């Protein structure tokens, strides 16, 4: 085998390394029209982004990150941020970004027509794009739907040792508690959470794992977002777990959104608004729904057939921004009752 | 140098003044001070956050869970510290001191778990051993519904997992220490009538103590900073509470203040480390003459040694990698685009190499400055500089982001006045900022490794070389660096692998469009798409195997 002469080896390695460095440092050629997205949502949107570029010629450049960290980056970049759009999950996060002044008001009749009011910021700084229901999931072999009714009733002693909950450190259950505080007040919500804790729930830090635990019989009921079940059922149609739409007799099932806003210092503001308008259009909403199993925010788009099988249900139509306002209170409440 | 001491010399050196003050060159001290100051910026920002205390958050935590969090954190630290020290030392001594079937394979193989990120082992373990996982399902099928394995979501489970992930730190450092001791010390003790085990306990082990303690404290700092594993396992530590306040209460300022408590823990660890190393300084020449002769194990003892090593490797490497392979086969297809993948791999390797090199150079300057001038000021500065390892990655990242962005805005203001046109930010989200973050995070790894190695080189060698006319830098280049070869290599490999696995700082501080393998893993696991994360996770393991196996080859086998 031919080998590089000894004297050349070190320079060869050095040049190779430098070359790789240059490959990283040399920036790509700047595209003409673009919209820059800071995204804390990393699944099921690629098709809609590509369709937008195809339709408008505007390139979508995405920077992925965790919400908390993206927030800090956006804030520290201030008026020099490259970001035009902030895309994230959970209304609490959107509320927090708006509160910190990171998002600018959007004036768009089209967005207002596409997305119902309770899924938008009251001051139009962000808009919900997909809807996720957080509801009761049960093992179809062990639980009859007639035994179930509401989030509150999961505190009934009959669920002792049969309940799986997500740890309270994740935002989904924090938002659920926050909207409950808005609906019922703090002391009633505390009572409900105490009921859950008294049932010694198995705490699991993943919705998917909760569903697998219910299927395997580790617990009989749990609370998760609906699309995690849809993903599992799409892989295994006989997956023995079904959703029960909680609180149909009262306030309706808790829903939350993933959504987006235009940043306060967007360089491509017009493109950004065009982008959000497109994402809320029936066409893009259909792509979202097909890929992610979420409910479209725009009622004109059809629900994914797999999810549609679970039927229509009454949603809690409290403005989702409440989740943000009361989230810190919800975390403290969880700490007080020992919901870990 | 041909007549260097043959056996170890155990010398007690008073706290300061090992070398005459006249040879102290201010350049080294200044260099060390500059590095320490640079690295200290994000740490100081954590301390400075206490100036405006978030009283309500502190009161709330005090009333509800501060005690529980402290206890949980302490239990984790003690467990991981003891676990890694015992397992790492035992394995290192086994492969250096004994001969048994498969030994030469295990000697290198036991380093392999280093290449597997903790979060990967974590989710692979839960996937396998959860109630719904294949192991428990099979158990229930055989033994009926009551069959269980001990709950992994517990203190014991987290400690076991972290011990399996972090023992290689101790193993690597202890093995190098044993190999460098050579046969002399052990044989001397044996000629004085000690049994092999007693000689190990009374001579070999104490000589290797600084290396073992350094490795275990690295493991404990990792445990302190860890968020991914404790969150996955639902085990509530300080770090978990910090994120709860940050993400849940939207209060990063309060979260940063809580992190100052972690610094207290880290200080406690460092004090403990000093106490364990004792006042004695163990110096020893580079090994010469024969290496330790390995005793042949036979019968059930040989079988136990082989099975023990195999069990550790199975749990810490084969099982998680096997799980990844299964997942990769399930879901590789749509996520694997070769051209894109090549770019991501290049980014990962280049940035990790750079991070490792910068950390090693900085750590060498710090450790050498401390050797030249072991004054309390230098010691405190170097210790503080190494504390970034004990803080959660994302908080360090924000601690870097804020001052960088502040400086950046001022810089760009000036540039814009000069050029008369708008300029984008230069430092924020640049490769430079990213490398800086890695230095803050991982300087401790390189420093602990080199400091432990440098401590084994007798200062008489410095004196001898200098009396022959070598300058301070000359001594370093011609005496220490060659003797430190193994230590330097270990430091480079450890930081390289750590950098490659690093997630939170990379995510936040990377330039636009710059993606690494760890980012690819995170983009999928953050959406619970474990199977889809398997391909980039396997790539991290594979890319980590290259330097780890090079280190195995270059560092030489024990006793050869």
């Amino acid at each position: 085998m031919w080998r590089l002469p000894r004297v050349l080896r070190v320079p060869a390695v050095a040049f190779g390394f430098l070359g790789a460095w240059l490959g990283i440092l040399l920036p790509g050629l700047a595209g003409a029209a673009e919209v820059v997205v800071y995204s804390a949502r990393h699944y099921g949107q690629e098709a809609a982004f590509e369709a937008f570029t195809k339709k408008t010629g505007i390139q979508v450049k995405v920077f992925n990150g965790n919400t908390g960290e993206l927030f800090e980056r956006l804030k520290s970049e201030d008026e020099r941020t490259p970001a035009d759009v902030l895309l994230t999950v959970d209304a609490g996060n959107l509320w927090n970004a708006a509160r910190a002044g990171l998002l600018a008001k959007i004036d768009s009749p089209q967005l207002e027509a596409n997305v119902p009011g309770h899924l938008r910021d009251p001051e139009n700084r962000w808009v919900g794009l997909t809807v996720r229901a957080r509801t009761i999931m049960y093992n179809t072999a062990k639980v009859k739907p007639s035994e179930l009714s509401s989030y509150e009733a999961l505190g009934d002693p009959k669920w002792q040792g049969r309940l799986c909950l997500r740890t309270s450190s994740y935002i989904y259950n924090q938002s659920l508690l926050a909207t409950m505080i808005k609906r019922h007040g703090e002391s009633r919500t505390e009572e409900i959470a105490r009921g859950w804790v008294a049932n010694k729930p198995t705490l699991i830090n993943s919705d998917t794992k909760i569903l697998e635990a219910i299927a395997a019989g580790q617990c009989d009921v749990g609370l998760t977002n609906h699309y995690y079940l849809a993903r599992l059922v799409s892989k295994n149609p006989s997956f023995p777990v079904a959703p029960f739409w909680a609180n149909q007799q009262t306030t309706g099932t808790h829903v939350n959104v993933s959504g987006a806003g235009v940043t306060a210092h967007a360089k491509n503001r017009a493109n950004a608004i065009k982008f959000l308008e497109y994402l809320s259009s029936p066409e893009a909403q259909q792509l979202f729904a097909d890929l992610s199993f979420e409910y479209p925010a725009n009622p004109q788009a059809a629900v994914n057939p797999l999810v549609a099988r679970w039927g229509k249900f009454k949603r809690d139509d409290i403005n989702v921004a409440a989740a943000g306002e009361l989230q810190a209170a919800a975390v403290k409440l969880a700490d007080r009752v020992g919901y870990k | 140098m041909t007549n260097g001491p043959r056996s170890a010399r155990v010398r007690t050196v008073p706290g300061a003044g090992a070398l005459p003050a006249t040879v102290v060159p201010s350049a080294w001290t200044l260099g060390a001070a500059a590095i320490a100051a640079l690295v200290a910026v994000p740490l100081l920002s954590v301390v400075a956050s206490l100036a405006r205390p978030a009283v309500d958050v502190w009161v709330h935590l005090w009333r509800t869970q501060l005690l529980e969090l402290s206890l949980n954190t302490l239990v984790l630290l003690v467990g991981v510290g003891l676990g890694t020290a015992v397992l790492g030392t035992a394995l290192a001594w086994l492969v250096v001191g004994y001969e048994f079937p498969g030994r030469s394979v295990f000697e290198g193989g036991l380093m392999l778990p280093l290449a597997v990120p903790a979060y990967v082992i974590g989710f692979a373990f839960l996937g396998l051993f959860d109630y719904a996982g294949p192991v428990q399902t099979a158990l229930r099928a055989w033994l009926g519904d009551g069959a269980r394995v001990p709950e992994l979501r517990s203190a014991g489970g987290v400690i076991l997992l972290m011990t399996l992930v972090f023992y290689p730190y101790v193993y690597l450092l202890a093995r190098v220490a044993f190999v460098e001791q050579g046969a002399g010390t052990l044989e001397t003790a044996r000629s004085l009538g000690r049994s092999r085990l007693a000689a190990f306990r009374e001579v070999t082990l104490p000589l290797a103590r600084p290396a073992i303690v350094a490795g275990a404290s690295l493991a404990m700092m990792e445990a302190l900073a860890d968020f991914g594993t404790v969150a996955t396992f639902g085990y509530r530590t300080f770090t978990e509470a910090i994120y709860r306040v940050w993400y849940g209460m939207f209060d990063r300022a309060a979260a940063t203040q809580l992190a100052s408590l972690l610094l207290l823990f880290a200080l406690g660890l460092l004090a403990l480390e000093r106490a364990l190393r004792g006042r004695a300084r163990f110096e020893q020449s580079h090994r010469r003459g024969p290496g330790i002769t390995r005793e042949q194990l036979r019968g059930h003892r040989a079988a136990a040694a082989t099975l023990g090593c195999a069990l550790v490797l199975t749990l810490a490497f084969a099982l998680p990698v096997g799980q990844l392979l299964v997942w990769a086969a399930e879901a590789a297809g749509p996520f694997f685009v070769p051209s894109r993948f090549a770019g991501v791999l290049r980014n990962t390797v280049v940035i990790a190499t750079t991070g490792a090199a910068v950390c090693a150079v900085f750590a060498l300057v710090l450790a050498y400055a401390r050797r030249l001038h072991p004054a309390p000021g230098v010691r405190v500065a170097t210790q503080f500089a190494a504390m970034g390892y004990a803080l959660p990655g994302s908080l360090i990242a924000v601690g870097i982001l804020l001052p960088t962005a502040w400086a950046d805005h001022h810089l760009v203001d000036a540039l814009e006045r000069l050029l008369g046109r708008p300029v984008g930010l230069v430092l924020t989200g640049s490769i430079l900022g990213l490398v800086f973050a890695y230095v803050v995070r991982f300087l401790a790894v390189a420093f602990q490794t080199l400091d432990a190695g440098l401590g084994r080189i007798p200062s008489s060698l410095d004196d001898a070389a200098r009396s022959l006319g070598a300058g301070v830098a000359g001594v370093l280049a011609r005496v220490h660096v060659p003797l430190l070869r193994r230590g330097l290599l270990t430091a480079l490999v450890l930081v390289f692998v750590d950098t490659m696995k690093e997630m939170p700082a990379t995510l936040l501080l990377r330039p636009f469009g710059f993606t690494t393998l760890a980012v690819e893993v995170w983009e999928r696991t953050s959406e619970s798409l474990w199977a889809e994360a398997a391909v980039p996770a396997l790539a991290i393991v594979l890319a980590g195997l290259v330097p780890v196996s090079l280190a195995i080859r270059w560092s030489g086998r024990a006793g050869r």
Side-chain angles (χ1 to χ4, degrees):
Chain A
M1 202 182 88
W2 183 81
R3 298 188 71 167
L4 209 57
R6 206 180 180 87
V7 278
L8 289 181
R9 274 182 216 159
V10 172
V13 169
F15 270 111
F17 190 66
L18 268 177
W21 251 108
L22 282 178
I24 290 171
L25 287 179
L26 290 179
L29 292 176
E34 60 175 30
V35 58
V36 178
V37 182
Y38 277 12
S39 172
R41 190 198 140 103
H42 328 109
Y43 179 72
Q45 64 244 21
E46 302 79 3
F49 289 5
E50 278 164 26
F52 173 71
T53 302
K54 209 175 265 174
K55 197 162 185 148
T56 60
I58 299 171
Q59 297 291 325
V60 183
K61 293 169 79 179
V62 184
F63 185 79
N64 283 329
N66 283 319
T67 305
E69 284 91 327
L70 281 181
F71 185 98
E72 295 297 333
R73 179 140 172 185
L74 197 53
K75 207 158 120 183
S76 71
E77 287 170 340
D78 203 16
E79 80 275 6
R80 292 194 170 99
T81 185
D84 302 310
V85 169
L86 177 68
L87 176 65
T88 182
V89 295
D90 202 286
N93 287 326
L94 290 162
W95 171 87
N96 188 37
R99 178 188 63 158
L102 298 179
L103 302 178
K105 211 166 251 184
I106 322 165
D107 204 10
S108 162
Q110 205 176 327
L111 277 177
E112 281 168 40
N114 282 344
V115 180
H118 71 106
L119 302 177
R120 277 187 277 121
D121 175 36
E123 294 173 46
N124 282 332
R125 291 164 299 182
W126 51 264
V127 55
L129 292 170
T130 63
V131 178
R132 48 273 299 280
R134 191 160 190 83
T135 195
I136 301 171
M137 301 289 173
Y138 65 97
N139 183 315
T140 46
K142 295 187 171 176
V143 178
K144 283 195 279 293
S146 60
E147 297 173 72
L148 297 163
S149 59
S150 63
Y151 302 112
E152 294 86 324
L154 291 180
D156 188 290
K158 76 176 169 191
W159 301 115
Q160 180 90 40
R162 299 169 68 190
L163 178 64
C164 269
L165 287 181
R166 185 134 182 180
T167 54
S168 67
S169 288
Y170 200 70
I171 196 163
Y172 292 157
N173 274 9
Q174 294 167 0
S175 290
L176 173 64
L177 283 173
T179 49
M180 285 169 88
I181 292 175
K182 185 88 176 178
R183 281 282 186 204
H184 307 298
E186 199 146 341
S187 61
R188 171 73 186 121
T189 308
E190 192 165 328
E191 218 173 283
I192 296 167
R194 273 188 207 285
W196 295 349
V197 173
N199 278 337
K200 301 210 170 16
T202 305
L203 298 176
I204 296 178
N205 194 23
S206 151
D207 276 18
T208 304
K209 292 236 175 267
I210 290 177
L211 291 164
E212 285 170 354
I214 297 174
Q218 185 175 12
C219 35
D220 298 339
V221 292
L223 286 177
T224 76
N225 284 1
H226 77 279
Y227 52 89
Y228 290 105
L229 178 62
R231 283 190 208 167
L232 291 169
V233 172
S234 74
K235 283 185 193 155
N236 170 17
S238 59
F239 193 77
V241 178
F244 176 87
W245 299 120
N247 296 48
Q248 292 301 293
Q249 309 305 320
T250 54
T251 49
T253 303
H254 169 69
V255 295
N256 208 319
V257 295
S258 78
V262 176
T263 61
H265 301 287
K267 306 284 173 297
N268 307 298
R269 187 176 155 84
N271 288 352
I273 294 176
K274 213 182 272 178
F275 181 60
L276 293 191
E277 285 173 346
Y278 175 74
L279 291 183
S280 69
S281 71
E283 181 189 326
Q285 289 277 305
Q286 200 64 58
L287 292 170
F288 268 121
D290 288 347
L291 271 172
S292 70
F293 298 110
E294 287 169 86
Y295 291 99
N298 185 334
Q300 291 164 26
V303 175
N304 186 307
L306 192 152
V307 176
R309 272 207 329 248
W310 295 334
K312 286 193 183 341
F313 61 96
K314 177 175 158 190
R315 297 175 182 182
D316 188 348
D317 59 1
I318 196 170
N319 190 294
V320 285
E325 282 164 50
L326 290 165
Q327 191 165 315
V331 173
K332 287 185 180 174
L333 186 149
D335 285 338
R336 279 201 303 277
V337 303
Y339 171 23
K340 290 177 182 169
Chain B
M1 277 193 45
T2 44
N3 283 326
R6 236 155 226 289
S7 60
R9 293 188 310 148
V10 181
R11 253 190 16 171
T12 304
V13 174
L19 295 168
T22 46
V23 300
V24 175
S26 57
W28 287 95
T29 317
L30 284 179
I35 291 170
L38 192 68
V39 171
V41 169
L43 301 176
L44 288 175
S45 80
V46 168
V47 178
S49 71
L50 288 171
R52 267 181 296 173
V55 178
D56 59 325
V57 173
W58 284 98
V59 169
H60 167 77
L61 282 180
W62 173 253
R63 283 203 190 128
T64 52
Q65 52 195 335
L66 203 60
L67 191 67
E68 186 200 341
L69 294 175
S70 311
L71 275 179
N72 280 353
T73 308
L74 263 181
V75 166
L76 182 70
L77 283 183
V78 172
V80 171
L82 286 178
T84 53
V86 170
L87 186 64
T89 309
L91 290 173
W93 179 238
L94 203 55
V95 299
V96 174
Y98 297 92
E99 190 61 59
F100 53 93
R103 189 205 65 86
S104 61
V105 176
F106 288 127
E107 183 166 27
L110 285 167
M111 298 181 198
L112 293 180
L114 260 188
V116 190
Y119 44 84
V120 167
I121 300 195
F123 67 68
F125 257 57
L126 274 185
L128 283 169
F129 294 108
D130 236 356
Y131 187 93
V135 173
Q136 292 215 50
T137 308
L139 273 181
R140 282 195 301 276
W142 288 336
L143 306 170
D145 273 351
R148 293 282 169 99
V149 301
E151 179 55 70
L152 268 178
R153 290 186 176 83
S154 63
V158 177
I159 289 171
L160 174 75
L161 190 95
M162 289 198 182
T163 299
L164 285 174
V165 177
F166 299 139
Y167 85 81
Y169 288 121
V170 178
Y171 173 80
L172 262 170
L173 294 182
R175 184 182 152 277
V176 171
F178 292 150
V179 170
E180 285 187 352
Q181 269 178 40
T185 45
L186 189 73
E187 294 314 318
T188 310
R190 298 213 59 189
S191 71
L192 292 170
R194 295 290 188 278
S195 73
R196 197 176 165 88
L197 198 64
F200 170 71
R201 205 174 53 229
E202 289 169 28
V203 180
T204 312
L205 193 60
L207 280 174
R209 200 167 65 176
I212 295 167
V213 172
S217 50
L218 284 178
M220 283 152 86
M221 289 212 249
E222 284 256 19
L224 203 55
D226 170 86
F227 173 61
T229 314
V230 292
T232 309
F233 283 71
Y235 185 71
R236 299 187 76 185
T237 60
F238 261 129
T239 300
E240 210 266 353
I242 288 170
Y243 280 91
R244 198 173 156 86
V245 170
W246 182 4
Y247 295 163
M249 300 190 191
F250 299 131
D251 195 343
R252 192 194 47 84
T256 309
Q257 288 171 30
L258 288 178
S260 60
L261 276 182
L262 283 183
L263 281 181
L264 274 185
F265 267 96
L267 275 177
L269 272 185
L270 290 173
L272 185 74
E273 187 194 341
R274 292 215 71 75
L276 282 178
R277 279 199 197 184
R279 287 192 62 77
R281 212 167 100 185
F282 304 105
E283 295 183 337
Q284 184 189 10
S285 71
H286 183 53
R287 169 170 71 84
R288 52 184 41 81
I292 292 169
T293 357
R294 288 191 293 273
E295 187 181 308
Q296 181 73 45
L297 292 178
R298 295 182 198 288
H300 65 272
R301 294 178 66 202
T306 306
L307 284 179
C309 291
L311 179 70
V312 171
L313 259 189
T314 307
L315 287 176
F317 188 76
L319 272 185
V321 171
Q323 172 70 278
L324 286 183
L325 285 171
V326 170
W327 276 332
E330 266 175 35
F335 283 100
F336 189 74
V337 184
S339 59
R340 209 175 87 76
F341 195 76
V344 173
L345 190 65
R346 177 203 61 195
N347 289 350
T348 310
V349 170
V350 168
I351 199 79
T353 312
T354 310
V358 177
C359 274
V361 171
F362 279 18
L364 195 61
V365 173
L366 285 183
Y368 197 53
R370 190 150 114 171
R371 181 183 180 88
L372 289 173
H373 188 67
V378 177
R379 212 177 63 214
V380 170
T382 49
Q383 292 289 26
F384 192 72
M387 274 164 58
Y389 202 48
L391 288 185
S394 335
L395 270 181
I396 281 284
V398 174
I400 290 166
L401 177 70
L402 297 183
T404 312
W406 178 85
D408 208 1
H409 279 293
H410 284 278
L411 179 73
V412 173
D413 280 343
L415 269 179
E416 286 180 350
R417 270 197 298 278
L418 204 70
L419 299 173
R421 63 179 174 83
V423 185
L425 290 175
V426 187
L427 301 170
T428 317
S430 70
I431 294 277
L432 199 66
L434 198 52
V435 172
F436 179 39
Y438 294 143
V439 170
V440 177
R441 279 285 278 142
F442 299 130
L443 188 60
V445 181
F447 178 74
Q448 294 278 37
T449 311
L450 290 179
D451 197 43
L454 211 52
R456 285 196 294 271
I457 299 173
S459 49
S460 61
L461 280 186
D462 305 37
D463 304 342
R466 289 191 52 79
S467 71
L468 292 172
V472 175
V475 177
L476 180 67
R478 284 158 62 194
V479 179
H480 292 134
V481 168
L483 290 179
L484 266 178
R485 195 172 47 99
R486 286 194 180 89
L488 264 173
L489 206 64
T490 310
L492 282 170
V493 168
L494 283 176
V495 180
F496 177 90
V497 175
D498 268 339
T499 308
M500 202 169 56
K501 298 186 288 191
E502 206 283 337
M503 217 143 53
T506 313
L507 263 183
L508 178 64
L509 297 170
R510 69 206 161 106
F512 206 99
F514 182 86
T515 308
T516 66
L517 291 170
V519 172
E520 295 267 314
V521 170
W522 165 85
E523 281 174 1
R524 294 159 183 57
T525 53
S526 65
E527 299 283 331
S528 290
L529 301 169
W530 309 108
E532 286 78 357
V535 171
L538 274 175
I540 293 182
V541 175
L542 282 179
L545 286 183
V546 176
V548 169
S549 47
L550 279 181
I552 295 168
R553 262 181 61 184
W554 289 344
S555 66
R557 306 278 170 160
R560 230 177 264 166

